[in-house]
Amino acid sequence: MEFLSRGYKGLLGEKGQPQSVEITISKLCDRASNSTLLEDRRAAILGLKGLSREYRLEVGEKSLGALLHILNEDRADIDTTKAILEVLNILCTPDEQQDPAVDLGVRFTDEIVHDSANINLLLDLLQEYDFYVRFHNVQLLGTLLSIRPDRVQDCILTAPMGISRLMDLLDDRREIIRNESLLLLIALTENNADIQKIVAFENAFERLLEIIAEEDGLNGGIIVQDCMQLTHNLLRYNVSNQNFFRETSCIQRIPALLGVSLDYKHKDYEIEFLAQEWQEQKVTNTIALLELIRILVVPNNINTLNNQNVMAQCGVLKTVVELALSSNAPSSVKAHSLYALADLIRGNGSSQEFLARTVVTVPYSSQRSDSTQNLTSDSNLKSNRSSHEQIQTLPPRPTVMAIIAVAVGAEHIESYTARAAATYAFECYAYNNPNAQVALASTLTPPPDDNPNSNINTVKPQSAGSLLLSALLEWEDSEADPYVVWFSSVIFSHILMNNEKSKELARGIMIGEEDNINDHIPLLHSIVKNLILATRQNADVRVLIGYLCVLCIWLWDSPHSVKEFLSKDAHLQILIGPITQSSGVDSRVQGLCAFLLGICYEFNHSPDSPVTRTTLQPILLNRIGADQFVNRITRLRESPHFKHVPQYIQVAPEEEARKLPELYFEYAFVEFFKNNYEKIQRSIITDPKLTFGGSDFQGDHDLISSFKSVIQTQELEIIEFKETIRQLAEQLEIQKSSSEQQISSMNEEIQSLKQAIETQKSERIKLEKEHEDLFVCLADQDANIKKYRERLIELGAEVTDAEEDEGDEDDDE
C-alpha cells in the first residue's frame, strides 16, 4: 500500500489540492522515468494506465516515448512490463468511427513502428512465459499489424528470430495465448510471400494439423477454422509452400480430417456416414478444408497435376466424391465438395477415368419431397436425420450419372448452388476428355416411358444420356424451374464441344413414340422444335438461351450438322424473326440468334445442302442487313450478364435467397463466343463461293476431311519430332554434364599434381640451401682448428701425430 500512497500524494498540488490533468500526467511521466525505486516507477505507470482511457491524447503525447524506454530498461519486472503493455494497447487501439487521418490509435501506432527497435523489443518480450505479458504483447502486435501491416511485416521479417518466436506461441498449452497467436499469424501472413515461406518452414503445417487433431478435427470449434485460414494464407499463390505441403505428406492427412473411413466394408458404415450430425461450425470447418483442397489444385497452376495425382492416390478424390454424393451433408457442403471434385479431375486423365469407373450410393430420405422446391443450406442444417430409419439408400449408380442428376434437379432437394457446382464438375470431367464425350454421347437414348424395375418414382434406372435428354427436352416445367433446361443445356454442350464424333452420334438420336416410328424426328430438330414452342409461349429467357447455346456449339465447324439444321425452312425463320424485331425480344436472344445464323452461313460447306451459301447470303443481307447483324452480336458481347461471367458456374449467397439466381451464360461458352464472334460478324459479307480459306470451290467435304486428316497426321509427326528432339536434348544434356564432370575431375587432378610439384621444388631448394650451409660451417670449423693448432705450437704445446695427421689431411683438403 506504500507505493499506492506515494502515487496518490504525487497527484496533489502544493497545498494538497487536486491539480490539472496535464500537470498530473507530466508528474507521473517524470516519476516513471526518473524515480530511483522500482515501486515508484511502477506506481506512476499504473497511474498513467488509469488515466489513459479517458485522456488518451495527453497520456500518449507525454508518455509514449518514456513508456517504451522503461519497457526496455525494466523488462525483467513482470508487473511493470504488464502495465506498460496494457497502456500501449489502450493508446494504439483505433476508433472505428473516426477517420484514420485523425485517429489517435493510428498516430501512436506510427510513432511506435517508426523505429524497428520497438518491434524487436516486443518480439523479445515473447520469451517471457508470464500469461498476462504474453497475452497483452500478442494483442499489441496484432493491433499494430492491423493498422500498419506492411511496416510491421517488414520489421518482423528483418528481426532475428522474430518469426520463430511467434511460431513458438503455437506450442503454448494455454489456449488463450495459442488462439491469439493464431489470429496474429493469420494477419501476418496476408499478402507476404517471404513471411509465408518462413512460417511454413518453421513446421507450421505439422503444428496446425496437430492443433486440429487436438480440437477433434472438423467437429472442433472456431480454432479449427482459424487453423484452416492460416493454412490457406500459407498455400494460396505460393508454389514453394505447396511443394513443401505435398512433400511433407500433409495431403495424406486430409481424408482422415474429412471423417470418411477408407474401409468401406465394415458393417453399418453407410448408416454411420449418412447419419452424421452437421452443426454450424462443422459445416464452416468442412467448407474451409474443401477450400484448402481447391487451393492445391487451382487450374493452370504448375503444381496442380502433381497435387491431383497425390490426392487421387491417397484417397482424397474418393473421399470428396462420397461427401458430395453419398452423404447427408447440407447443400452448402455438397456444393463445395462438387467444386473441389471438379478441380481435382480437371485436365487429369487418370482422375477422370477413376470418376468414370466409380459408383456411389445415393442417400434417399423417406421424408423427401417430390416437389421441385430447392432447399437452402440453413434448412438442410435443420433437417438432420434423427434416426437411421428415416434414411434409405438407392441402388449404386455411376458417379457421372449422379452428378448429372444433381445438376438437372432430378433429386429435387439440392439448392441452385449445388446444382451449379455439379454442372461445373461435369464440365471439368469432359474437359480435354474426348473419350468421355463420345462415351456419354453414345448413351443419348430417349428415356423409357415406364420402369417396372423400380418402385421409387423419383429415380429410375436409366443411362446418364437418357437422364440428360429427359431434362433437356421437358421444357414445359420451365416456369417453375428454368434451370432444368439451362443446366442440361450446358452439360449437353460440353459433350459436343470440339468433338465431331459426339456430334455425329447425337445426330443419330431419334425422338418420338416407340410404337410410331414414322413420327420420329432427329434430336437436333427436337431441340429446335422446343426452342420454337418456348419462344411462342414466352418461356423464361434462360430456356431460350440454353437451347441457342447448345445449337451454336453443335453447329460450329460441323457442316453435316448445319446441313441437317437447314433441312427445315422453319429453322431459319426462328432465327431471322427475333433478329429483325425492334422490340419485345431480349437482346441476348437476338445476339445468339444472329451468332447462330452466322455459324450456319460460315460452315455451310455441304454440296447437297438444302440452302446453299449463295442462297443464304441474300436472305441475310436483305432481310437483316449487315449492320443490324453486327449490332446484334456486338450488343450481346457488351451485355453485363455476358461480360461479368465468372470462371466457373457459381451462385452467390444473396442470389440463393431469391427465387431464381442470375445465371445466363457459362464461362466456356463466353470464351468460345469471344474467340469467334468477329469471324462470324465478317462472314456474311464475304463471297459465298470463298469457303475454306478462300479456295474457289463449294463445300467439297471429302476434300476438307482429307485436308484435316493430313493436318492431323502432320500434327502427330510434329509431336513425335518434338519428343525425339526432347530425348536428344536430354541425352546431349547428360553427355554434356558427364563431360563437364570429367573435365572438372581432370582439372582438379592437374591442380593437385601442380601443387605436389611445387611442394617438391620448394623442399629441394630448401635441402640444397641446408647443404650449402653445412659446407660453409665445415669450412669455418677447419679454419678454426688450424688456427688453434698453430697457436698451440707457438705456445710450445705438443701436438700428437694424430693431430698432425688430421692437420695434414685438413691441409690436403
Side-chain angles (χ1 to χ4, degrees):
M1 295 297 292
E2 183 180 354
F3 75 90
L4 291 175
S5 176
R6 287 198 299 268
Y8 173 74
K9 291 178 181 179
L11 301 178
L12 300 178
E14 295 179 356
K15 298 181 180 180
Q17 298 297 323
Q19 55 193 4
S20 66
V21 173
E22 291 79 5
I23 296 175
T24 301
I25 293 174
S26 297
K27 285 190 175 183
L28 289 174
C29 290
D30 179 70
R31 179 167 296 180
S33 301
N34 302 318
S35 292
T36 304
L37 296 176
L38 178 62
E39 290 81 359
D40 290 343
R41 296 197 296 272
R42 187 189 305 144
I45 293 169
L46 290 173
L48 290 171
K49 173 186 171 184
L51 295 170
S52 60
R53 294 188 184 278
E54 189 173 356
Y55 303 101
R56 287 179 66 195
L57 176 61
E58 293 79 1
V59 173
E61 285 181 340
K62 296 182 180 298
S63 68
L64 183 59
L67 289 174
L68 292 171
H69 176 74
I70 297 168
L71 181 64
N72 187 33
E73 295 296 326
D74 293 342
R75 68 173 75 178
D77 182 63
I78 301 299
D79 294 329
T80 301
T81 301
K82 179 180 67 174
I84 293 175
L85 291 173
E86 289 185 73
V87 175
L88 294 177
N89 260 317
I90 295 170
L91 295 178
C92 294
T93 300
D95 188 350
E96 296 180 355
Q97 298 179 352
Q98 265 193 336
D99 184 359
V102 297
D103 191 350
L104 293 177
V106 175
R107 172 183 169 183
F108 295 139
T109 296
D110 287 336
E111 292 184 28
I112 293 176
V113 302
H114 177 72
D115 187 357
S116 60
N118 294 329
I119 303 298
N120 293 343
L121 172 61
L122 296 177
L123 293 173
D124 291 340
L125 287 174
L126 292 175
Q127 298 178 88
E128 175 57 54
Y129 190 73
D130 180 78
F131 173 82
Y132 291 102
V133 171
R134 277 196 174 182
F135 177 74
H136 293 303
N137 195 358
V138 171
Q139 280 198 326
L140 177 58
L141 285 170
T143 301
L144 300 177
L145 187 61
S146 66
I147 298 174
R148 290 289 180 259
D150 294 338
R151 175 58 182 166
V152 176
Q153 285 176 336
D154 291 339
C155 293
I156 294 177
L157 190 60
T158 56
M161 300 296 291
I163 294 179
S164 297
R165 286 170 183 155
L166 291 174
M167 291 300 298
D168 289 341
L169 297 177
L170 294 179
D171 298 328
D172 198 313
R173 306 311 299 175
R174 295 165 294 190
E175 291 189 0
I176 296 180
I177 301 296
R178 184 198 66 188
N179 300 347
E180 288 293 325
S181 65
L182 267 174
L183 297 177
L184 176 60
L185 288 168
I186 289 172
L188 181 64
T189 53
E190 288 281 354
N191 305 320
N192 194 309
D194 294 329
I195 291 180
Q196 291 168 2
K197 292 177 183 179
I198 297 174
V199 170
F201 283 92
E202 287 285 344
N203 204 23
F205 297 128
E206 186 66 29
R207 290 176 173 180
L208 293 173
L209 289 172
E210 288 177 359
I211 293 174
I212 292 173
E214 291 174 0
E215 295 289 325
D216 195 21
L218 300 183
N219 294 311
I222 196 171
I223 300 306
V224 175
Q225 181 182 348
D226 292 339
C227 291
M228 290 293 179
Q229 181 61 50
L230 179 54
T231 309
H232 292 179
N233 290 356
L234 298 177
L235 293 176
R236 186 177 281 113
Y237 311 126
N238 197 313
V239 175
S240 63
N241 281 3
Q242 291 179 12
N243 285 332
F244 186 69
F245 189 84
R246 182 181 67 250
E247 292 167 359
T248 52
S249 301
C250 293
I251 291 179
Q252 283 80 348
R253 301 175 67 171
I254 293 178
L257 288 177
L258 283 170
V260 180
S261 173
L262 294 181
D263 179 11
Y264 293 92
K265 298 180 181 180
H266 72 269
K267 186 178 180 182
D268 295 332
Y269 164 72
E270 290 180 352
I271 296 299
E272 294 173 7
F273 185 59
L274 295 175
Q276 296 183 81
E277 292 186 2
W278 289 91
Q279 303 299 329
E280 184 176 357
Q281 188 60 52
K282 181 179 179 180
V283 170
T284 303
N285 295 341
T286 305
I287 291 175
L289 181 56
L290 293 168
E291 181 64 25
L292 169 62
I293 295 174
R294 297 191 67 192
I295 290 173
L296 294 172
V297 290
V298 173
N300 303 320
N301 188 292
I302 190 173
N303 278 328
T304 294
L305 184 60
N306 291 333
N307 291 339
Q308 285 175 332
N309 292 334
V310 173
M311 290 188 183
Q313 293 169 3
C314 71
V316 173
L317 177 57
K318 185 172 181 60
T319 300
V320 172
V321 170
E322 294 290 334
L323 183 62
L325 302 170
S326 295
S327 72
N328 68 329
S331 184
S332 58
V333 174
K334 288 189 175 183
H336 283 83
S337 301
L338 287 165
Y339 282 126
L341 168 61
D343 289 339
L344 282 169
I345 64 175
R346 184 177 179 85
N348 190 305
S350 59
S351 296
Q352 289 169 338
E353 290 176 7
F354 170 82
L355 195 71
R357 295 193 307 267
T358 56
V359 295
V360 292
T361 302
V362 180
Y364 178 80
S365 173
S366 59
Q367 296 178 346
R368 174 186 289 180
S369 171
D370 291 335
S371 66
T372 57
Q373 179 183 6
N374 290 284
L375 303 178
T376 63
S377 62
D378 290 339
S379 62
N380 278 329
L381 281 172
K382 296 176 182 178
S383 63
N384 285 325
R385 282 73 173 177
S386 60
S387 65
H388 295 169
E389 289 74 19
Q390 294 178 330
I391 301 173
Q392 304 174 20
T393 57
L394 298 174
R397 64 167 65 170
T399 301
V400 176
M401 182 177 175
I403 291 173
I404 294 175
V406 173
V408 301
E411 302 300 328
H412 302 304
I413 61 169
E414 300 300 349
S415 65
Y416 284 118
T417 302
R419 293 170 64 185
T423 306
Y424 177 65
F426 182 88
E427 175 188 339
C428 292
Y429 172 69
Y431 179 75
N432 286 347
N433 192 359
N435 293 333
Q437 289 176 298
V438 173
L440 287 164
S442 64
T443 66
L444 292 172
T445 55
D449 295 330
D450 54 3
N451 192 341
N453 298 323
S454 176
N455 56 3
I456 302 176
N457 57 9
T458 55
V459 180
K460 299 178 181 180
Q462 52 189 340
S463 66
S466 62
L467 175 64
L468 178 61
L469 279 187
S470 64
L472 182 65
L473 300 178
E474 294 174 3
W475 68 274
E476 291 84 356
D477 297 330
S478 61
E479 184 175 353
D481 184 9
Y483 283 104
V484 172
V485 172
W486 193 87
F487 285 130
S488 59
S489 298
V490 172
I491 292 174
F492 187 50
S493 67
H494 282 283
I495 294 176
L496 303 178
M497 188 171 288
N498 301 321
N499 194 315
E500 183 59 32
K501 181 63 176 176
S502 293
K503 295 177 182 179
E504 179 183 349
L505 291 170
R507 287 196 302 270
I509 302 301
M510 305 299 291
I511 305 297
E513 298 292 336
E514 293 183 3
D515 54 355
N516 193 348
I517 300 178
N518 295 329
D519 290 341
H520 285 192
I521 61 173
L523 174 59
L524 180 61
H525 291 188
S526 182
I527 292 176
V528 179
K529 177 184 175 182
N530 282 1
L531 174 62
I532 295 172
L533 294 175
T535 302
R536 291 174 179 173
Q537 299 184 20
N538 295 323
D540 191 286
V541 69
R542 297 168 182 82
V543 176
L544 306 181
I545 290 175
Y547 283 142
L548 287 169
C549 290
V550 166
L551 293 172
C552 289
I553 296 296
W554 195 339
L555 271 56
W556 180 264
D557 197 18
S558 181
H560 287 301
S561 300
V562 172
K563 172 187 172 183
E564 184 172 313
F565 178 83
L566 296 176
S567 63
K568 296 288 186 180
D569 295 338
H571 294 178
L572 273 180
Q573 184 58 40
I574 189 60
L575 300 181
I576 295 174
I579 299 173
T580 56
Q581 292 184 27
S582 59
S583 62
V585 180
D586 191 285
S587 62
R588 294 162 294 187
V589 173
Q590 290 179 317
L592 287 173
C593 287
F595 187 63
L596 180 56
L597 196 56
I599 291 174
C600 292
Y601 179 79
E602 177 67 17
F603 296 101
N604 186 14
H605 302 321
S606 297
D608 56 345
S609 174
V611 182
T612 64
R613 286 165 61 92
T614 305
T615 306
L616 186 57
Q617 188 184 47
I619 297 175
L620 300 179
L621 295 178
N622 296 332
R623 296 190 58 183
I624 299 175
D627 292 341
Q628 184 168 235
F629 179 81
V630 171
N631 290 338
R632 296 304 189 201
I633 295 178
T634 303
R635 193 173 178 185
L636 171 64
R637 173 69 177 82
E638 296 175 353
S639 169
H641 292 117
F642 198 88
K643 291 172 63 176
H644 303 139
V645 172
Q647 288 195 351
Y648 58 91
I649 304 174
Q650 57 181 327
V651 177
E654 60 272 14
E655 292 182 357
E656 186 72 56
R658 296 199 292 265
K659 185 176 180 181
L660 288 175
E662 295 293 320
L663 285 179
Y664 296 93
F665 299 96
E666 55 104 14
Y667 186 76
F669 180 82
V670 170
E671 289 299 298
F672 160 76
F673 178 88
K674 289 179 180 178
N675 293 333
N676 299 294
Y677 80 97
E678 292 181 345
K679 175 182 178 181
I680 296 301
Q681 284 179 325
R682 296 190 300 266
S683 64
I684 67 167
I685 61 174
T686 59
D687 189 342
K689 295 181 180 181
L690 295 178
T691 63
F692 193 70
S695 299
D696 190 10
F697 69 94
Q698 281 198 337
D700 188 347
H701 187 63
D702 293 336
L703 183 59
I704 294 173
S705 299
S706 66
F707 285 159
K708 288 184 177 180
S709 177
V710 171
I711 292 172
Q712 291 175 354
T713 303
Q714 291 176 345
E715 287 179 347
L716 292 175
E717 291 177 353
I718 290 172
I719 293 173
E720 292 178 358
F721 288 149
K722 286 183 177 179
E723 180 64 20
T724 303
I725 292 171
R726 187 188 64 79
Q727 293 176 357
L728 291 174
E730 289 180 354
Q731 294 177 3
L732 180 62
E733 190 66 28
I734 293 172
Q735 293 176 357
K736 181 181 177 181
S737 176
S738 177
S739 300
E740 289 177 350
Q741 291 178 356
Q742 293 178 359
I743 292 171
S744 176
S745 177
M746 293 175 67
N747 287 334
E748 290 177 357
E749 188 175 354
I750 290 171
Q751 291 297 326
S752 177
L753 292 173
K754 285 182 178 180
Q755 291 177 359
I757 291 172
E758 291 296 328
T759 303
Q760 291 178 357
K761 281 184 178 180
S762 61
E763 290 179 354
R764 182 172 175 274
I765 292 172
K766 183 178 178 181
L767 290 172
E768 289 178 351
K769 188 174 183 306
E770 290 178 353
H771 190 261
E772 291 176 358
D773 292 342
L774 287 173
F775 274 121
V776 171
C777 290
L778 288 173
D780 291 341
Q781 227 176 10
D782 291 342
N784 290 333
I785 291 172
K786 186 175 181 181
K787 183 175 67 174
Y788 290 147
R789 186 181 297 114
E790 291 175 352
R791 181 66 176 160
L792 288 173
I793 293 172
E794 290 176 358
L795 294 174
E798 294 185 1
V799 179
T800 62
D801 294 339
E803 291 173 345
E804 287 287 348
D805 293 338
E806 290 177 2
D808 293 339
E809 291 177 0
D810 292 339
D811 292 338
D812 293 340
E813 291 178 359

